[in-house]
């Protein structure tokens, strides 16, 4: 029994540590996934708390995972983990069987898992946590000094919260999104050679004698007056294949013209400053940003602002921040969230390829040309 308990402790502990560390690399990814659930469940008021919930949940996974192995306050942590796993199993089951959420994002964007694998993984983890809960009184801390056990778990807490603070104020250490350094955005917008469109079937819902029934376009009873039309929906028959990695990326200028292809296929360097929400954007290092704009202009390097608000608001803040000479484009808000996790953030392209990304805290102090290469410091 001792060996089974230790095996389960290591498996559960390591999985939670791994899950927490992977998600700590990009806590905003979990935040946006939470928002998706809240919107589907009509709980939009919870969106205001999603970032805090995300940070606490990720940190807890790391702390509880370490506590599983160390054995410090084991009875408390295994109780909380069992409850959390039951909740996770419900969520992944909902994603798998409802079809209302595309994926649950268990290990973030870096390690995508199918919905079925995620669900059965949570079922197995819940079973192991239940076993450990039953035998929780047999688990003792690995070190006799309680201070040492407490210190190890405390270090896990510092890492869990500290690493997230870093990535939220800078950028993810490892970028797993389609706009990562090295990717050509325009190429990622193109469908693959095996592209096929999704196939949908129209479904008509009619009611008769209190019983609802689904019909297709070929057999719905539109001539039978005994049936009453209730609703119409489209059912996915076959998913699309070879879809482009980047969707809805569109740069629209102040006149309403789409300039996406022109900008994304331009030769040479291009700066794109992404602004998700002007009212909440961080304005630190704006002087440094203005210096980059001035230097780029002197080197004939285009500098554009991509703003996810309406053009009137974009223009207002552009003038308020002393950037009135910077051409701006409006862009979809979800795209901005994916392209750069900080608000705002700066991206450097060369021939359409992402060569660098900076958060508002990390704008380069100087830029200069050395031959054909742009050097940032």
């Amino acid at each position: 029994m001792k060996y089974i308990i230790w095996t389960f402790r290591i498996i559960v502990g390591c999985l939670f540590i791994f899950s927490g560390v992977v998600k700590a690399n990009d806590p905003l990814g979990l935040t946006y996934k939470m928002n998706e659930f809240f919107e589907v469940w009509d709980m939009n008021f919870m969106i205001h708390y999603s970032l805090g919930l995300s940070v606490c949940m990720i940190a807890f996974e790391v702390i509880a995972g370490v506590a599983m192995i160390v054995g410090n306050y084991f009875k408390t942590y295994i109780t909380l983990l069992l409850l959390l796993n039951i909740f996770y199993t419900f969520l992944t089951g909902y994603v798998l069987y409802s079809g209302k959420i595309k994926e649950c994002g268990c290990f973030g964007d870096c390690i995508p898992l199918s919905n079925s694998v995620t669900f059965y993984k949570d079922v197995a983890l819940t079973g192991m946590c239940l076993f450990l809960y039953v035998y929780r009184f047999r688990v003792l801390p690995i070190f006799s000094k309680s201070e040492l056990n407490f210190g190890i778990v405390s270090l896990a807490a510092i890492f869990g919260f500290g690493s997230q603070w870093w990535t939220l104020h800078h950028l993810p250490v490892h970028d797993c999104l389609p706009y990562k350094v090295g990717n050509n955005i325009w190429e990622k917008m193109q469908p693959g050679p095996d592209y096929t469109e999704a196939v949908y079937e129209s479904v008509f819902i009619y009611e008769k004698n209190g019983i609802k029934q689904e019909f297709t376009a070929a057999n719905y009873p539109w001539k039978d007056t005994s049936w009453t039309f209730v609703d119409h929906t489209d059912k996915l028959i076959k998913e699309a294949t070879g879809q482009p990695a980047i969707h809805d990326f569109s740069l629209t200028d102040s006149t309403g013209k789409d300039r996406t292809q022109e900008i994304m296929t331009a030769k040479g360097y291009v700066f794109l400053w992404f602004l998700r929400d002007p009212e909440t954007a961080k304005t630190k290092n704006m002087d440094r940003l203005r210096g980059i704009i001035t230097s780029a202009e002197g080197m004939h390097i285009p500098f554009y602002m991509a703003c996810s608000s309406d053009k009137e608001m974009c223009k207002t803040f552009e003038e308020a921040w002393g950037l009135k000479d910077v051409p701006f484009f409006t862009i979809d808000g979800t795209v901005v969230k994916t392209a750069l996790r900080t608000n705002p953030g700066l991206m450097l392209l060369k021939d359409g390829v992402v060569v660098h990304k900076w958060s508002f805290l990390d704008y380069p102090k100087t830029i200069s040309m050395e031959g054909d290469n742009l050097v940032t410091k």
Side-chain angles (χ1 to χ4, degrees), residues 27-128:
L28 282 177
L30 179 59
T31 302
Y32 300 145
K33 181 56 63 174
M34 284 185 177
N35 292 344
E36 190 177 350
F37 277 98
F38 292 146
E39 289 171 0
V40 169
W41 292 342
D42 197 23
M43 297 172 61
N44 293 327
F45 68 94
M46 289 296 295
I47 291 176
H48 300 290
Y49 309 104
S50 56
L51 177 58
L53 289 172
S54 172
V55 170
C56 290
M57 184 176 290
I58 292 169
F60 176 75
E61 286 190 1
V62 176
I63 296 167
V66 171
M68 281 295 96
I69 299 173
V70 174
N72 196 49
Y73 295 108
F74 186 85
K75 300 179 186 66
T76 300
Y77 281 110
I78 191 56
T79 302
L80 295 174
L81 274 184
L82 177 59
L83 294 174
L84 183 62
N85 259 295
I86 292 172
F87 177 64
Y88 280 172
T89 304
F90 161 73
L91 287 183
T92 54
Y94 179 83
V95 171
L96 178 62
Y97 294 109
S98 73
K100 295 183 178 181
I101 305 290
K102 187 176 180 181
E103 57 187 21
C104 70
C106 176
F107 289 137
D109 295 293
C110 292
I111 307 177
L113 297 177
S114 68
N115 293 335
S116 57
V117 169
T118 304
F119 173 69
Y120 293 120
K121 179 265 297 179
D122 284 335
V123 170
L125 271 177
T126 300
M128 285 186 276

Side-chain angles (χ1 to χ4, degrees), residues 315-377:
K315 188 173 182 179
T316 298
F317 278 90
E318 187 183 39
E319 293 175 353
W321 293 336
L323 307 174
K324 60 182 179 180
D325 295 327
V326 177
F328 74 89
F329 302 107
T330 55
I331 190 172
D332 179 76
T334 302
V335 171
V336 177
K337 291 178 182 178
T338 310
L340 268 159
R341 288 307 202 195
T342 58
N343 181 33
L346 183 63
M347 178 184 291
L348 177 64
L349 305 172
K350 183 179 183 182
D351 299 336
V353 177
V354 181
V355 295
H356 215 309
K357 295 164 73 172
W358 297 273
S359 78
F360 59 90
L361 289 177
D362 302 315
Y363 299 142
K365 295 179 180 178
T366 61
I367 62 173
S368 60
M369 292 295 296
E370 294 185 3
D372 293 331
N373 297 319
L374 181 69
V375 178
T376 60
K377 296 181 181 178

